[in-house]
Amino acid sequence: YIVRHKTVYRYNQNVPESLHLMHLRPRDTGRQRVVEAQLTIAPEPSAWIKRRDAFGNETDWVSLDDAHETLTVSAAALVEAT
């Protein structure tokens, strides 16, 4: 299966900086295997930290330090069901 997701934030005015926690990458389970997963973020984050939370979920912390009026987050994953 190919799973895709896209979110676009449009702000009324420039946002000077922002911090986001995302849960957009699937995880392996007994019934599925993630072959590939990737996020695309625009504008490009100043910092990006990928971690796994206490429940085994993939998380992405991103920081945008430059002013922006929009934020676009696209996620794509290739998942095999068993």
Side-chain angles (χ1 to χ4, degrees):
Y1 295 93
I2 297 174
V3 181
R4 296 177 197 261
H5 170 89
K6 182 177 183 179
T7 299
V8 179
Y9 296 94
R10 292 182 182 90
Y11 306 107
N12 291 331
Q13 58 189 359
N14 269 342
V15 176
E17 61 185 354
S18 59
L19 178 64
H20 304 271
L21 169 61
M22 301 177 200
H23 293 87
L24 293 173
R25 289 185 286 137
R27 67 178 181 165
D28 291 329
T29 68
R31 300 178 77 188
Q32 71 181 24
R33 183 176 79 83
V34 179
V35 177
E36 182 180 354
Q38 104 180 44
L39 291 182
T40 305
I41 300 171
E44 189 169 331
S46 306
W48 191 333
I49 300 169
K50 297 178 183 182
R51 294 201 175 148
R52 188 166 285 158
D53 70 12
F55 303 102
N57 300 304
E58 300 288 338
T59 65
D60 293 87
W61 285 91
V62 297
S63 174
L64 297 126
D65 294 340
D66 295 327
H68 53 285
E69 288 185 7
T70 62
L71 170 62
T72 303
V73 180
S74 299
L78 177 59
V79 179
E80 291 180 347
T82 57

XYZ file of all heavy atoms in Angstrom:
664
model
N 0.838 -1.172 0.000
C 0.000 0.000 0.000
C 0.886 1.239 0.000
O 1.932 1.272 0.653
C -0.892 0.039 1.244
C -1.884 -1.081 1.306
C -1.579 -2.260 1.979
C -3.114 -0.962 0.682
C -2.496 -3.294 2.035
C -4.039 -1.987 0.748
C -3.724 -3.152 1.425
O -4.644 -4.173 1.485
N 0.418 2.263 -0.693
C 1.067 3.572 -0.637
C 0.129 4.495 0.128
O -1.041 4.636 -0.222
C 1.340 4.126 -2.040
C 2.320 3.204 -2.775
C 1.883 5.544 -1.951
C 2.544 3.582 -4.223
N 0.657 5.088 1.176
C -0.130 5.983 2.024
C 0.438 7.388 1.854
O 1.649 7.592 1.989
C -0.043 5.555 3.510
C -0.872 6.474 4.383
C -0.469 4.106 3.675
N -0.444 8.351 1.569
C -0.006 9.736 1.392
C -0.881 10.653 2.235
O -2.071 10.410 2.411
C -0.114 10.159 -0.066
C 0.780 9.398 -0.986
C 0.546 9.825 -2.429
N 1.086 8.839 -3.340
C 2.257 8.944 -3.947
N 2.991 10.007 -3.737
N 2.680 8.002 -4.752
N -0.239 11.707 2.718
C -0.941 12.705 3.524
C -0.312 14.065 3.237
O 0.913 14.160 3.105
C -0.800 12.383 5.018
C -1.293 13.482 5.900
N -2.593 13.571 6.318
C -0.654 14.551 6.424
C -2.726 14.640 7.071
N -1.571 15.252 7.149
N -1.142 15.100 3.153
C -0.616 16.454 2.960
C -1.436 17.436 3.783
O -2.677 17.400 3.745
C -0.674 16.851 1.488
C -0.101 18.227 1.210
C -0.118 18.524 -0.287
C 0.506 19.861 -0.587
N 0.522 20.138 -2.042
N -0.743 18.266 4.536
C -1.375 19.331 5.309
C -0.719 20.642 4.925
O 0.514 20.718 4.862
C -1.214 19.103 6.824
O -1.835 17.870 7.187
C -1.827 20.231 7.628
N -1.540 21.659 4.684
C -1.026 22.991 4.393
C -1.623 23.953 5.417
O -2.843 24.046 5.553
C -1.392 23.449 2.964
C -0.865 24.864 2.708
C -0.854 22.476 1.922
N -0.747 24.616 6.152
C -1.159 25.658 7.090
C -0.959 26.997 6.387
O 0.117 27.269 5.865
C -0.306 25.636 8.354
C -0.439 24.377 9.166
C 0.444 23.325 8.983
C -1.441 24.262 10.129
C 0.328 22.164 9.735
C -1.554 23.096 10.886
C -0.664 22.059 10.684
O -0.782 20.918 11.418
N -1.991 27.830 6.394
C -1.893 29.181 5.837
C -2.233 30.160 6.956
O -3.357 30.151 7.468
C -2.862 29.348 4.665
C -2.485 28.530 3.461
C -3.464 28.758 2.297
N -3.098 27.916 1.175
C -3.556 26.683 0.981
N -4.389 26.150 1.849
N -3.176 25.985 -0.067
N -1.266 30.967 7.307
C -1.432 31.915 8.403
C -1.870 33.268 7.861
O -1.538 33.645 6.740
C -0.128 32.040 9.185
C 0.418 30.708 9.677
C 1.530 30.125 9.088
C -0.206 30.026 10.715
C 2.028 28.904 9.533
C 0.279 28.791 11.163
C 1.396 28.244 10.562
O 1.875 27.038 11.003
N -2.600 34.042 8.658
C -3.072 35.367 8.255
C -1.941 36.379 8.134
O -2.090 37.392 7.472
C -4.118 35.890 9.233
C -5.416 35.104 9.153
O -5.741 34.573 8.103
N -6.135 35.026 10.248
N -0.848 36.093 8.808
C 0.313 36.979 8.760
C 1.567 36.136 8.959
O 1.477 34.958 9.286
C 0.217 38.056 9.842
C 0.116 37.491 11.257
C -0.183 38.568 12.271
O -0.304 39.725 11.931
N -0.294 38.199 13.524
N 2.718 36.737 8.741
C 3.970 36.009 8.937
C 4.085 35.489 10.362
O 3.796 36.218 11.312
C 5.171 36.924 8.658
C 5.618 36.863 7.224
O 5.290 35.933 6.500
N 6.383 37.851 6.811
N 4.500 34.255 10.485
C 4.800 33.656 11.779
C 6.314 33.745 11.938
O 7.050 33.237 11.088
C 4.335 32.175 11.812
C 4.732 31.517 13.107
C 2.848 32.083 11.584
N 6.800 34.398 12.985
C 8.247 34.605 13.091
C 9.043 33.319 13.308
O 10.165 33.189 12.837
C 8.401 35.561 14.264
C 7.130 35.447 15.035
C 6.073 35.042 14.062
N 8.466 32.370 14.024
C 9.104 31.075 14.265
C 8.038 30.099 14.725
O 6.967 30.505 15.178
C 10.216 31.192 15.313
C 9.736 31.672 16.657
C 10.858 31.909 17.641
O 12.010 31.604 17.333
O 10.562 32.397 18.732
N 8.319 28.798 14.587
C 7.338 27.806 15.026
C 8.029 26.489 15.344
O 9.107 26.190 14.835
C 6.252 27.606 13.964
O 6.807 27.177 12.741
N 7.391 25.716 16.216
C 7.877 24.405 16.638
C 6.722 23.419 16.492
O 5.600 23.708 16.909
C 8.348 24.463 18.095
C 8.841 23.175 18.719
C 10.100 22.686 18.011
C 9.120 23.381 20.199
N 6.993 22.257 15.891
C 5.933 21.292 15.609
C 6.365 19.881 15.986
O 7.500 19.488 15.748
C 5.593 21.306 14.113
C 5.225 22.657 13.618
N 3.938 23.126 13.631
C 5.985 23.660 13.113
C 3.909 24.347 13.144
N 5.146 24.692 12.821
N 5.433 19.131 16.553
C 5.615 17.709 16.824
C 4.671 16.963 15.897
O 3.461 17.209 15.901
C 5.299 17.377 18.282
C 5.204 15.894 18.634
C 6.528 15.184 18.361
C 4.781 15.710 20.075
N 5.227 16.065 15.087
C 4.418 15.354 14.096
C 4.469 13.851 14.331
O 5.508 13.313 14.670
C 4.937 15.674 12.699
C 4.902 17.133 12.388
S 5.590 17.465 10.781
C 5.969 19.196 10.978
N 3.325 13.223 14.140
C 3.192 11.766 14.185
C 2.628 11.328 12.834
O 1.442 11.016 12.720
C 2.244 11.340 15.301
C 2.733 11.616 16.674
N 2.538 12.815 17.312
C 3.432 10.841 17.528
C 3.077 12.758 18.517
N 3.628 11.567 18.668
N 3.444 11.341 11.808
C 2.952 11.089 10.459
C 3.607 9.900 9.772
O 3.297 9.605 8.628
C 3.146 12.346 9.591
C 2.295 13.545 10.005
C 2.689 14.778 9.201
C 0.820 13.232 9.805
N 4.523 9.227 10.439
C 5.155 8.051 9.842
C 4.589 6.801 10.501
O 4.534 6.710 11.731
C 6.674 8.122 10.023
C 7.288 9.204 9.149
C 8.794 9.236 9.214
N 9.223 9.802 10.485
C 10.212 9.320 11.223
N 10.872 8.250 10.838
N 10.548 9.893 12.348
N 4.131 5.825 9.705
C 3.588 4.587 10.286
C 4.696 3.767 10.943
O 5.881 4.007 10.720
C 2.998 3.855 9.083
C 3.717 4.397 7.906
C 4.121 5.799 8.241
N 4.296 2.798 11.729
C 5.277 1.932 12.386
C 5.025 0.481 12.021
O 3.921 0.101 11.628
C 5.243 2.112 13.894
C 3.974 1.635 14.537
C 4.043 1.795 16.040
N 2.812 1.307 16.648
C 2.687 1.064 17.917
N 3.684 1.274 18.732
N 1.559 0.626 18.396
N 6.056 -0.317 12.167
C 5.921 -1.756 11.969
C 5.064 -2.340 13.077
O 5.177 -1.939 14.243
C 7.296 -2.434 11.993
C 8.151 -2.081 10.796
O 7.599 -1.835 9.710
O 9.382 -2.061 10.946
N 4.213 -3.278 12.692
C 3.412 -4.015 13.675
C 3.397 -5.473 13.240
O 4.017 -5.829 12.238
C 1.957 -3.486 13.746
O 1.282 -3.798 12.518
C 1.902 -1.993 14.008
N 2.674 -6.291 13.950
C 2.551 -7.684 13.566
C 1.778 -7.876 12.266
O 1.843 -8.939 11.660
N 1.060 -6.834 11.833
C 0.224 -6.949 10.639
C 0.691 -6.069 9.480
O 0.091 -6.098 8.410
C -1.202 -6.600 10.999
C -1.741 -7.538 12.085
C -3.120 -7.180 12.485
N -4.031 -7.651 11.449
C -5.307 -7.361 11.426
N -5.834 -6.591 12.345
N -6.074 -7.819 10.463
N 1.738 -5.273 9.707
C 2.246 -4.440 8.621
C 3.740 -4.186 8.797
O 4.248 -4.197 9.916
C 1.505 -3.109 8.526
C 1.815 -2.137 9.655
C 1.031 -0.854 9.532
O -0.030 -0.812 8.920
N 1.545 0.211 10.122
N 4.388 -3.961 7.656
C 5.813 -3.644 7.661
C 6.009 -2.391 6.817
O 5.535 -2.308 5.686
C 6.621 -4.794 7.069
C 8.133 -4.568 7.103
C 8.887 -5.778 6.592
N 8.914 -5.872 5.145
C 9.769 -5.221 4.357
N 10.671 -4.426 4.883
N 9.723 -5.380 3.047
N 6.690 -1.419 7.404
C 6.962 -0.171 6.693
C 8.214 -0.380 5.853
O 9.299 -0.598 6.380
C 7.145 1.008 7.674
C 7.445 2.286 6.914
C 5.915 1.155 8.555
N 8.057 -0.322 4.549
C 9.178 -0.487 3.627
C 9.946 0.826 3.529
O 11.178 0.851 3.556
C 8.691 -0.929 2.231
C 9.834 -1.023 1.247
C 7.939 -2.251 2.329
N 9.202 1.931 3.442
C 9.817 3.253 3.322
C 8.822 4.296 3.791
O 7.622 4.163 3.558
C 10.192 3.510 1.863
C 10.873 4.821 1.610
C 11.222 5.024 0.148
O 11.045 4.095 -0.658
O 11.650 6.134 -0.182
N 9.319 5.321 4.449
C 8.468 6.432 4.884
C 9.296 7.705 4.864
O 10.457 7.694 5.270
C 7.911 6.182 6.282
N 8.680 8.779 4.383
C 9.422 10.032 4.334
C 8.487 11.215 4.496
O 7.308 11.148 4.134
C 10.239 10.120 3.055
C 9.742 11.004 1.982
C 10.650 10.988 0.772
O 11.103 9.941 0.341
N 10.879 12.128 0.195
N 9.009 12.278 5.072
C 8.296 13.546 5.207
C 9.005 14.595 4.378
O 10.238 14.614 4.307
C 8.272 14.019 6.661
C 7.457 13.246 7.674
C 7.552 13.922 9.039
C 6.024 13.158 7.247
N 8.225 15.478 3.797
C 8.754 16.641 3.104
C 8.104 17.859 3.736
O 6.873 17.900 3.868
C 8.424 16.583 1.605
O 8.905 15.349 1.078
C 9.053 17.746 0.852
N 8.919 18.827 4.135
C 8.416 20.001 4.837
C 8.932 21.256 4.143
O 10.126 21.357 3.847
C 8.852 19.981 6.316
C 8.311 18.719 6.997
C 8.381 21.240 7.038
C 8.838 18.484 8.385
N 8.016 22.198 3.888
C 8.402 23.478 3.293
C 7.702 24.610 4.046
O 6.504 24.513 4.293
C 8.019 23.515 1.820
N 8.443 25.637 4.448
C 9.858 25.827 4.188
C 10.702 24.820 4.964
O 10.222 24.181 5.911
C 10.122 27.260 4.669
C 9.049 27.543 5.666
C 7.867 26.739 5.238
N 11.935 24.693 4.547
C 12.826 23.714 5.165
C 13.066 24.063 6.634
O 13.376 25.211 6.956
C 14.160 23.671 4.425
C 15.040 22.542 4.883
C 16.235 22.331 3.974
O 16.136 22.635 2.779
O 17.251 21.847 4.489
N 12.922 23.092 7.537
C 13.126 23.356 8.969
C 14.571 23.735 9.294
O 15.505 23.267 8.636
C 12.767 22.024 9.632
C 11.933 21.304 8.637
C 12.441 21.726 7.299
N 14.717 24.556 10.306
C 16.040 24.915 10.818
C 16.637 23.763 11.607
O 17.844 23.576 11.645
C 15.942 26.153 11.714
O 15.309 27.197 11.034
N 15.760 23.002 12.264
C 16.181 21.824 13.028
C 15.121 20.746 12.852
O 13.929 21.050 12.726
C 16.352 22.168 14.504
N 15.585 19.490 12.839
C 14.667 18.360 12.633
C 15.199 17.197 13.451
O 16.297 16.711 13.224
C 14.625 18.001 11.166
C 13.551 17.053 10.731
C 12.925 16.095 11.473
C 13.001 16.972 9.422
N 12.016 15.427 10.712
C 12.041 15.947 9.438
C 13.229 17.655 8.233
C 11.314 15.600 8.315
C 12.494 17.305 7.127
C 11.548 16.290 7.172
N 14.400 16.735 14.406
C 14.802 15.626 15.265
C 13.793 14.497 15.089
O 12.590 14.693 15.285
C 14.862 16.045 16.745
C 15.879 17.169 16.939
C 15.196 14.846 17.630
C 15.819 17.814 18.315
N 14.289 13.317 14.723
C 13.441 12.128 14.576
C 13.649 11.247 15.803
O 14.782 10.955 16.166
C 13.803 11.366 13.310
C 13.577 12.158 12.053
C 14.003 11.383 10.828
C 13.832 12.235 9.594
N 14.181 11.530 8.372
N 12.555 10.849 16.416
C 12.619 9.994 17.612
C 11.480 9.008 17.605
O 10.517 9.137 16.863
C 12.525 10.847 18.877
C 13.698 11.751 19.068
C 13.825 12.159 20.491
N 15.049 12.926 20.635
C 15.214 13.897 21.490
N 14.241 14.235 22.299
N 16.358 14.529 21.561
N 11.587 8.044 18.486
C 10.515 7.078 18.730
C 9.982 7.363 20.132
O 10.741 7.487 21.076
C 11.079 5.668 18.634
C 10.019 4.610 18.677
C 10.548 3.280 18.247
N 10.692 3.323 16.786
C 11.489 2.534 16.099
N 12.233 1.649 16.694
N 11.543 2.618 14.795
N 8.654 7.474 20.264
C 8.089 7.766 21.580
C 7.985 6.492 22.424
O 8.382 5.405 21.987
C 6.748 8.498 21.459
C 5.609 7.656 20.919
O 5.740 6.421 20.814
O 4.552 8.250 20.594
N 7.455 6.620 23.617
C 7.383 5.502 24.564
C 6.494 4.365 24.068
O 6.603 3.235 24.547
C 6.869 6.003 25.917
N 5.630 4.639 23.088
C 4.724 3.630 22.554
C 5.238 3.015 21.254
O 4.561 2.193 20.639
C 3.339 4.239 22.330
C 2.758 4.829 23.581
C 2.778 6.206 23.782
C 2.216 4.030 24.572
C 2.257 6.763 24.937
C 1.701 4.577 25.730
C 1.719 5.940 25.917
N 6.426 3.434 20.819
C 7.007 2.900 19.596
C 6.643 3.661 18.337
O 6.985 3.248 17.235
N 5.950 4.788 18.488
C 5.566 5.596 17.336
C 6.722 6.487 16.894
O 7.423 7.064 17.726
C 4.367 6.495 17.675
C 3.164 5.692 18.081
O 2.706 4.836 17.343
N 2.661 5.949 19.271
N 6.890 6.618 15.584
C 7.894 7.517 15.041
C 7.396 8.956 15.202
O 6.233 9.249 14.907
C 8.132 7.230 13.559
C 8.613 5.824 13.285
C 10.045 5.590 13.730
O 10.808 6.559 13.876
O 10.398 4.426 13.952
N 8.255 9.836 15.670
C 7.885 11.240 15.821
C 8.930 12.117 15.149
O 10.088 11.733 15.008
C 7.769 11.657 17.299
O 9.047 11.567 17.920
C 6.777 10.798 18.051
N 8.492 13.285 14.736
C 9.374 14.275 14.130
C 9.124 15.612 14.812
O 7.992 16.107 14.817
C 9.088 14.413 12.633
C 9.453 13.161 11.865
O 8.612 12.246 11.769
O 10.584 13.101 11.389
N 10.173 16.174 15.409
C 10.134 17.516 15.969
C 10.817 18.422 14.962
O 11.961 18.157 14.582
C 10.915 17.585 17.280
C 10.240 16.967 18.459
C 10.361 15.677 18.888
C 9.372 17.607 19.380
N 9.607 15.474 20.013
C 8.995 16.651 20.344
C 8.873 18.910 19.482
C 8.136 16.959 21.391
C 8.021 19.206 20.534
C 7.653 18.233 21.472
N 10.126 19.465 14.515
C 10.752 20.400 13.585
C 10.603 21.820 14.103
O 9.606 22.176 14.735
C 10.170 20.293 12.154
C 10.444 18.924 11.564
C 8.712 20.610 12.115
N 11.629 22.599 13.838
C 11.658 23.998 14.225
C 11.885 24.837 12.975
O 12.765 24.529 12.169
C 12.783 24.235 15.234
O 12.916 25.611 15.511
N 11.085 25.874 12.826
C 11.258 26.825 11.732
C 11.608 28.164 12.358
O 10.783 28.751 13.071
C 9.982 26.928 10.896
C 9.630 25.612 10.211
C 8.227 25.186 10.535
C 9.837 25.751 8.733
N 12.814 28.614 12.118
C 13.305 29.837 12.751
C 13.149 31.080 11.891
O 13.411 32.186 12.346
C 14.775 29.670 13.143
C 14.965 28.619 14.218
O 13.984 28.293 14.919
O 16.085 28.105 14.364
N 12.730 30.920 10.636
C 12.524 32.056 9.744
C 11.030 32.336 9.601
O 10.200 31.424 9.676
C 13.131 31.774 8.363
C 14.646 31.634 8.415
O 15.282 32.324 9.247
O 15.188 30.823 7.654
N 10.693 33.598 9.350
C 9.293 33.987 9.180
C 8.693 33.259 7.975
O 9.358 33.055 6.960
C 9.201 35.493 9.004
N 7.432 32.841 8.124
C 6.744 32.140 7.039
C 5.238 32.368 7.141
O 4.707 32.552 8.228
C 7.064 30.638 7.071
C 6.817 29.978 8.387
N 7.651 30.131 9.471
C 5.820 29.170 8.807
C 7.194 29.434 10.499
N 6.070 28.847 10.116
N 4.571 32.396 5.981
C 3.119 32.557 5.924
C 2.405 31.242 5.693
O 1.208 31.129 5.917
C 2.734 33.547 4.823
C 3.080 34.975 5.149
C 2.567 35.939 4.083
O 1.831 35.503 3.167
O 2.913 37.119 4.177
N 3.148 30.234 5.193
C 2.565 28.910 4.976
C 3.539 27.847 5.468
O 4.751 28.080 5.544
C 2.260 28.635 3.487
O 3.471 28.666 2.755
C 1.274 29.625 2.922
N 2.985 26.712 5.792
C 3.772 25.532 6.158
C 3.105 24.345 5.475
O 1.908 24.112 5.652
C 3.796 25.328 7.672
C 4.390 24.011 8.173
C 5.849 23.885 7.771
C 4.230 23.888 9.673
N 3.882 23.622 4.674
C 3.355 22.457 3.969
C 4.089 21.215 4.441
O 5.322 21.179 4.429
C 3.531 22.611 2.441
O 2.886 23.818 2.028
C 2.929 21.426 1.705
N 3.321 20.221 4.870
C 3.880 18.957 5.337
C 3.273 17.840 4.490
O 2.055 17.676 4.451
C 3.561 18.709 6.829
C 4.146 17.387 7.298
C 4.050 19.859 7.685
N 4.140 17.095 3.812
C 3.696 15.963 2.993
C 4.357 14.704 3.523
O 5.558 14.686 3.781
C 4.092 16.165 1.537
O 3.485 17.325 1.021
N 3.555 13.661 3.693
C 4.061 12.382 4.161
C 3.721 11.312 3.124
O 2.635 11.331 2.528
C 3.427 12.012 5.506
N 4.669 10.411 2.907
C 4.429 9.290 2.002
C 5.056 8.052 2.610
O 6.149 8.119 3.175
C 5.026 9.573 0.624
N 4.371 6.932 2.494
C 4.897 5.681 3.041
C 4.494 4.519 2.151
O 3.387 4.502 1.591
C 4.382 5.451 4.460
N 5.389 3.577 2.048
C 5.113 2.309 1.385
C 5.022 1.257 2.482
O 5.980 1.058 3.239
C 6.222 1.971 0.392
C 6.107 0.628 -0.334
C 4.823 0.546 -1.127
C 7.333 0.415 -1.232
N 3.859 0.626 2.594
C 3.591 -0.304 3.686
C 3.119 -1.638 3.108
O 2.251 -1.672 2.234
C 2.502 0.262 4.636
C 2.201 -0.702 5.765
C 2.935 1.618 5.184
N 3.705 -2.718 3.601
C 3.271 -4.067 3.221
C 2.398 -4.633 4.328
O 2.781 -4.624 5.490
C 4.469 -4.990 3.020
C 5.303 -4.684 1.830
C 6.488 -5.641 1.682
O 6.792 -6.384 2.649
O 7.105 -5.633 0.616
N 1.222 -5.107 3.957
C 0.331 -5.750 4.919
C 0.615 -7.245 4.913
O 0.882 -7.829 3.866
C -1.119 -5.492 4.564
N 0.589 -7.862 6.102
C 0.863 -9.291 6.196
C -0.405 -10.050 6.556
O -1.371 -9.493 6.999
C 1.942 -9.580 7.251
O 1.527 -9.047 8.503
C 3.248 -8.961 6.842
